[in-house]
Amino acid sequence: MNHLGKAPLIFGLLFLLAFPVIVFRGDDRSDTLEFWIFAQTHYDEFSARIPAFEAAHPGVKVELRLISKLHDKLLAAFLSGIGGPDLSEVEISSVGRFFKGTKEEIGFVDLTDRIEREGITDEFVQARLAPWSLGGRVYGLPRDVHPVMLLYRHDVYQEAGIDPASIETWDDFVRETRPLARDDDGDGRPDRYPIMLSAHKPGHFWLLLLQNGGGMFDEDGGVIIDNEIAVATLEFYCSLLNEAQLAIPEFSQDPASYAAMKEGIILGVLAPDWYISFVRRFVPELEGKWRAMPLPAWREGERRTSTWGGTMIAVTKQAENPDLAWEFAKFAYMDDEALANRYRKTFIIPPIKSAWSNPVYAESETYLDGQVLGRSLTELAPDIPGFHLNPYWAEANDLLRQAVYEAANGIRTPADALSYLAAQVRALMQESTVATDEEGELRLPSPRIESTETE
């Protein structure tokens, strides 16, 4: 009996996929750091900052590499044991792929003791350490917080006599903004919508679920995506799209959505910090007409924000000089000057609380009619919800996409869609456990298509 099952085939495919970036190093590269990233904006940012690190560390060279399908190639390098970088960024929707198997099989260095020894744990927003942790151990530093606000057309609100301060809960939002969804041409459909929600992808639902206290897994790794909180959240989500007709079913990064904003069809969007910079970039015509407010709460007095997206930097076990790699990781993600520069370009709020005293976060933003956006975002940042990770997160996130699509488009009821999703995830987890315990089959993560990066 072949105890390895399909593992050799999967391994071979992953190795071939990664071969172009797998290189065999020379005898001594202890003063060279190879750093893999997946986004052009990150490449531009680090390219400008690396000379400062090299100047502070004479003889050290940082090789920055922008990698297509980074997560697949990094996984292949870990499985083969060769060709991996010293450091790598990982996007939040893919991180679960790297946490399969035993602790010894995880390709990242456990940073927990370094973080505690250097006393920097409390410097971070604690909820942002959770996605990069497993079993109480931290494997990466967070790049961001990504607090979410409601970006709304304040000129239209003023014209309609809507006071944003009167909107404290989602029920308030439905009541106050309903007059905006009017049918001007009499065709039976609204000609403008108070908010945009995706009927095809899970991002908008996910951030509302987190805000409402829900999630995919509980602290013990158990599946909770079919509980009462999740069902109630999805029912409300679908009601905005269908019965109430207050939400236009588009995806936030679709060019058609930006066109609809320009035409005044979309009057509000769920906006994490990074997405506000996208709207500024792709809809410059509306400068001075948008403002940002805290999300309506699910219940009066409760959380007014959520979180969407995220990236970590991690030191790999293939790093020849992990101490030097750790120093660069801190420089890349904790340097105050770099964080301030990042905010100016992207509005991204760093998870380092002490950095928020930088004057850059008190600057007024012309695009938002002079609003001091940085202060609003940093005030909300400590209250973002956390969530518990599970090695099956990547697969569960893919299945969540199907569940949201089916519920939003009337294929299944919200309760049925989430029940079916939960059953699939539980079966996936059960199948893996049985294979490992009874057959001793080597556990290898399945190759997956790279997820769309959010920044």
Side-chain angles (χ1 to χ4, degrees), residues 15-132:
F15 185 85
L16 290 174
L17 175 66
F19 185 77
V21 298
I22 290 182
V23 295
F24 295 91
R25 297 177 172 177
D27 293 335
D28 184 10
R29 287 173 56 92
S30 59
D31 291 336
T32 298
L33 295 175
E34 186 171 319
F35 179 27
W36 287 11
I37 58 176
F38 57 78
Q40 182 64 50
T41 53
H42 299 199
Y43 183 88
D44 296 339
E45 174 188 332
F46 292 126
S47 294
R49 294 294 299 158
I50 283 174
F53 182 81
E54 292 177 336
H57 299 77
V60 171
K61 180 175 177 55
V62 180
E63 295 180 350
L64 182 63
R65 304 191 68 184
L66 180 60
I67 304 291
S68 173
K69 297 189 180 301
L70 179 149
H71 301 122
D72 290 334
K73 293 168 183 174
L74 183 63
L75 192 58
F78 286 169
L79 291 171
S80 67
I82 59 173
D86 300 283
L87 303 107
S88 182
E89 290 193 321
V90 175
E91 201 268 339
I92 198 166
S93 63
S94 292
V95 67
R97 304 170 62 194
F98 296 91
F99 288 158
K100 287 183 169 65
T102 65
K103 179 181 178 181
E104 290 69 28
E105 292 170 324
I106 294 175
F108 302 122
V109 172
D110 182 346
L111 301 176
T112 312
D113 294 339
R114 291 176 183 269
I115 292 174
E116 293 179 352
R117 184 169 60 247
E118 298 183 24
I120 61 176
T121 304
D122 293 338
E123 293 190 33
F124 288 93
V125 175
Q126 292 302 298
R128 292 310 281 175
L129 290 173
W132 321 117

Side-chain angles (χ1 to χ4, degrees), residues 131-389:
W132 321 117
S133 305
L134 187 69
R137 311 302 291 180
V138 182
Y139 292 92
L141 294 180
R143 181 177 185 267
D144 36 51
V145 186
H146 293 331
V148 180
M149 301 186 74
L150 176 63
L151 201 62
Y152 68 99
R153 283 286 301 273
H154 85 94
D155 59 328
V156 177
Y157 273 42
Q158 282 186 322
E159 180 183 344
I162 299 174
D163 179 7
S166 68
I167 301 175
E168 183 177 350
T169 67
W170 280 111
D171 287 340
D172 295 338
F173 176 83
V174 170
R175 183 187 65 250
E176 294 294 322
T177 66
R178 188 180 297 280
L180 299 178
R182 67 192 186 202
D183 178 11
D184 291 331
D185 58 13
D187 67 353
R189 292 288 300 175
D191 294 294
R192 57 183 190 178
Y193 296 82
I195 196 168
M196 175 178 66
L197 298 176
S198 176
H200 312 284
K201 297 186 178 181
H204 290 149
F205 166 69
W206 176 249
L207 72 88
L208 291 179
L209 176 62
L210 292 180
Q211 184 200 12
N212 200 14
M216 181 69 73
F217 303 105
D218 63 20
E219 59 185 357
D220 299 319
V223 178
I224 59 171
I225 193 61
D226 55 346
N227 66 14
E228 292 182 1
I229 293 175
V231 172
T233 306
L234 189 54
E235 287 177 344
F236 176 78
Y237 188 88
C238 294
S239 73
L240 292 180
L241 283 162
N242 301 315
E243 292 86 354
Q245 294 191 348
L246 295 180
I248 185 170
E250 296 288 346
F251 181 58
S252 61
Q253 296 177 65
D254 189 323
S257 299
Y258 297 122
M261 291 180 198
K262 295 176 185 178
E263 295 171 6
I265 298 173
I266 295 173
L267 305 177
V269 291
L270 299 169
D273 49 4
W274 56 267
Y275 184 65
I276 299 174
S277 73
F278 277 33
V279 175
R280 179 179 62 174
R281 176 182 177 187
F282 293 112
V283 196
E285 299 87 346
L286 295 183
E287 178 177 304
K289 295 184 177 180
W290 292 102
R291 282 186 182 172
M293 61 176 283
L295 291 185
W298 282 98
R299 289 158 290 276
E300 197 171 322
E302 294 191 355
R303 176 180 285 126
R304 299 292 301 271
T305 191
S306 187
T307 187
W308 185 9
T311 299
M312 77 165 183
I313 188 172
V315 178
T316 77
K317 288 180 178 176
Q318 294 183 29
E320 295 188 20
N321 189 340
D323 292 335
L324 180 63
W326 169 241
E327 289 303 313
F328 181 79
K330 290 187 292 182
F331 171 82
Y333 272 34
M334 300 178 68
D335 178 70
D336 188 64
E337 182 180 347
L339 299 179
N341 185 56
R342 180 188 302 165
Y343 175 78
R344 285 193 181 93
K345 294 182 176 179
T346 65
F347 292 149
I348 290 177
I349 299 298
I352 311 297
K353 291 179 284 188
S354 60
W356 301 345
S357 61
N358 190 299
V360 71
Y361 303 106
E363 295 177 356
S364 63
E365 173 52 43
T366 303
Y367 189 75
L368 299 181
D369 192 37
Q371 183 176 358
V372 182
L373 178 65
R375 282 286 169 264
S376 299
L377 290 170
T378 54
E379 287 173 1
L380 291 170
D383 199 33
I384 65 163
F387 65 94
H388 300 288
L389 189 66

